[in-house]
């Protein structure tokens, strides 16, 4: 089992920045690929970004590409989502997720979510 706890959400004006953090515990963090997803009211859960267990390889959803950056610090068992040039459309609950190495999706482990609200 892997426990995930997100933090760093809040209220920010359009054009501003936030950095989300996801702290992991329970298993060896470096053995897990990590992802960020988000869900806005009345909408389906949306893929935001992920990073391979071995590091280096990252992927982004089209709506955030060029604005968001995912990274990980294995020494701190933490994955980050740096969000720049935020838009009102980015308002959602953001969830951290984990899966073992290169296992097929969907992600198995999920955090409780953190609210991001972008105001105009």
């Amino acid at each position: 089992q892997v426990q995930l706890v997100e933090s760093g959400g809040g209220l920010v004006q359009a054009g501003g920045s936030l950095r989300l953090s996801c702290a992991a515990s329970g298993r060896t963090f470096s053995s897990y690929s990590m992802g960020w997803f988000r869900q806005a009211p009345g909408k389906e859960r949306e893929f935001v970004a992920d990073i391979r267990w071995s590091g280096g390889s990252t992927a982004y959803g089209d709506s955030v590409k060029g604005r968001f950056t995912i990274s990980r610090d294995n020494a701190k068992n933490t994955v980050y989502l740096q969000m720049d040039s935020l838009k009102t459309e980015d308002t959602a609950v953001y969830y951290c997720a984990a899966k073992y190495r290169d296992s097929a999706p969907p992600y198995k482990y999920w955090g409780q979510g953190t609210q991001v609200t972008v105001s105009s």
Side-chain angles (χ1 to χ4, degrees):
Q1 183 64 259
V2 175
Q3 289 79 45
L4 305 172
V5 179
E6 303 96 333
S7 62
L11 176 65
V12 65
Q13 291 186 337
S17 298
L18 282 175
R19 189 178 75 161
L20 305 183
S21 299
C22 174
S25 63
R27 299 291 296 273
T28 303
F29 177 73
S30 61
S31 297
Y32 288 81
S33 297
M34 304 295 298
W36 287 97
F37 296 78
R38 67 187 183 185
Q39 187 167 22
K43 295 186 177 181
E44 296 285 336
R45 185 180 63 191
E46 177 187 17
F47 170 75
V48 175
D50 64 12
I51 184 167
R52 194 165 180 252
W53 67 272
S54 58
S57 180
T58 59
Y60 298 91
D62 289 340
S63 62
V64 306
K65 198 171 299 180
R67 300 187 297 118
F68 291 9
T69 304
I70 188 171
S71 62
R72 66 192 299 159
D73 186 339
N74 289 343
K76 297 181 178 179
N77 285 4
T78 301
V79 63
Y80 303 96
L81 184 69
Q82 178 66 44
M83 305 185 295
D84 298 321
S85 301
L86 282 162
K87 305 175 180 179
T88 56
E89 303 97 286
D90 297 318
T91 296
V93 177
Y94 284 71
Y95 297 92
C96 178
K99 63 180 181 179
Y100 184 69
R101 293 190 171 181
D102 295 325
S103 59
Y107 280 79
K108 184 176 181 179
Y109 305 103
W110 296 85
Q112 83 289 344
T114 185
Q115 176 71 47
V116 172
T117 302
V118 184
S119 65
S120 60

